Amino acid sequence: LTPYLRVDPGTVVGVEVSLNASRQVEANVSRTVLDIVQRAAALAQPTGDLVTELNEERFQRTADFVDQAISSLFGQSVGEKASHEFGVGDWNAQLEIAEISAQFPMGLRVLDETQQREIGRWQVRASVPLVSIFSDTPLHVGTNPGNPGPCGQLVGSDLQACTAFRMVSPQRVLGLSVGENVNLGQAILSDPAVLAAINAGTAADPDLCSAIAARAEALGLNRYDSAAAVWAMQQARRVRSANLLSAACTAGALANRVIVPGQQ
């Protein structure tokens, strides 16, 4: 439904595999499955690339509907289920994090292991974590391509973030779709804490910077993209501010460090 979700250091991905089988012939299974897919697609109607607090309920309703609908297709369950959890440190795009094999009953008695046959194997892999939703630059050091150019004074993930933001414009950052007919810039400017800081005037610049970053993080952006949101708000003149990128605000200081002046 969406290509992006934020992954924090403590994020754990769970893989659960179950097998359901029926000993009755279902002549209308194909039509039923097609109907499920069509109804789920109509229910989801993804409105952005990122799962946010503004659209996660729709995705959850879709997932629940598909789970319930598929489980009702079959009258008898084999009862086989396996669950495993994988931390971010186990992710490797070159190696599978899990391999699943399926044993399917071939006779009338679906629980008779002597009549089961392996029907396939599947490998579960994780994509390389990206440092920013606005770039395909990977998070981990050592995979940064080519000459880092003006980002050469940085190291680690800061270097990766600086590389990612070299071709990113304020308009692209603020135009990120985060909900139904709502982009990042609109979501930030509608936040009560941001509006309160704006009304307080330029003396509250650190508070405004923190409020922008907090709203961006609440929507699902990581700390680098939240810093980019602060930078974009100032560059696009969405707020009247003397300087959002001061050391008094963590996100502003981060933006000032990883977004090289003049690189965009």
Side-chain angles (χ1 to χ4, degrees), residues 2 69 83 120 142 171-172 176 200 207 220 248:
T2 173
S83 300
Q171 291 73 25
R172 181 180 175 191
L176 175 70
D207 294 336

Side-chain angles (χ1 to χ4, degrees), residues 2-234:
T2 173
Y4 296 111
L5 69 158
R6 186 176 68 192
V7 176
D8 296 315
T11 297
V12 175
V13 173
V15 177
E16 182 178 284
V17 182
S18 61
L19 176 63
N20 292 332
S22 172
R23 62 182 180 184
Q24 297 178 348
V25 177
E26 299 285 352
N28 63 338
V29 165
S30 297
R31 179 178 300 176
T32 303
V33 171
L34 179 60
D35 179 61
I36 290 172
V37 172
Q38 291 174 333
R39 291 167 60 192
L43 180 63
Q45 294 180 343
T47 57
D49 290 336
L50 178 68
V51 173
T52 73
E53 65 177 15
L54 300 180
N55 61 19
E56 64 181 349
E57 182 180 356
R58 180 182 294 274
F59 288 117
Q60 187 61 53
R61 292 202 309 268
T62 303
D64 292 343
F65 168 75
V66 173
D67 286 346
Q68 294 171 7
I70 291 180
S71 65
S72 67
L73 285 177
F74 304 102
Q76 182 177 358
S77 173
V78 175
E80 293 290 338
K81 180 178 292 187
S83 300
H84 300 279
E85 292 185 344
F86 303 90
V88 178
D90 297 323
W91 293 14
N92 188 322
Q94 304 302 320
L95 300 174
E96 68 273 7
I97 61 175
E99 184 177 83
I100 303 165
S101 62
Q103 306 289 333
F104 202 80
M106 306 304 293
L108 295 178
R109 301 183 61 185
V110 297
L111 300 181
D112 187 352
E113 294 185 0
T114 63
Q115 299 187 47
Q116 293 179 4
R117 181 183 303 171
E118 182 174 280
I119 61 171
R121 289 179 178 268
W122 296 264
Q123 293 180 344
V124 180
R125 300 174 183 266
S127 299
V128 174
L130 303 180
V131 72
S132 169
I133 195 174
F134 304 108
S135 170
D136 58 359
T137 302
L139 171 67
H140 298 304
V141 183
T143 52
N144 182 56
N147 182 2
C151 302
Q153 77 279 10
L154 300 173
V155 296
S157 57
D158 282 0
L159 170 61
Q160 302 299 91
C162 180
T163 302
F165 293 139
R166 287 174 67 176
M167 301 301 294
V168 174
S169 67
Q171 291 73 25
R172 181 180 175 191
V173 173
L174 299 179
L176 175 70
S177 177
V178 294
E180 293 189 32
N181 301 317
V182 178
N183 60 37
L184 178 59
Q186 293 167 335
I188 289 175
L189 288 176
S190 64
D191 183 65
V194 172
L195 292 175
I198 292 175
N199 293 332
T202 57
D205 278 355
D207 294 336
L208 176 56
C209 169
S210 298
I212 293 172
R215 179 55 173 157
E217 290 197 16
L219 288 169
L221 273 66
N222 65 20
R223 67 188 186 99
Y224 287 115
D225 287 339
S226 297
V230 173
W231 165 81
M233 290 292 287
Q234 177 168 288

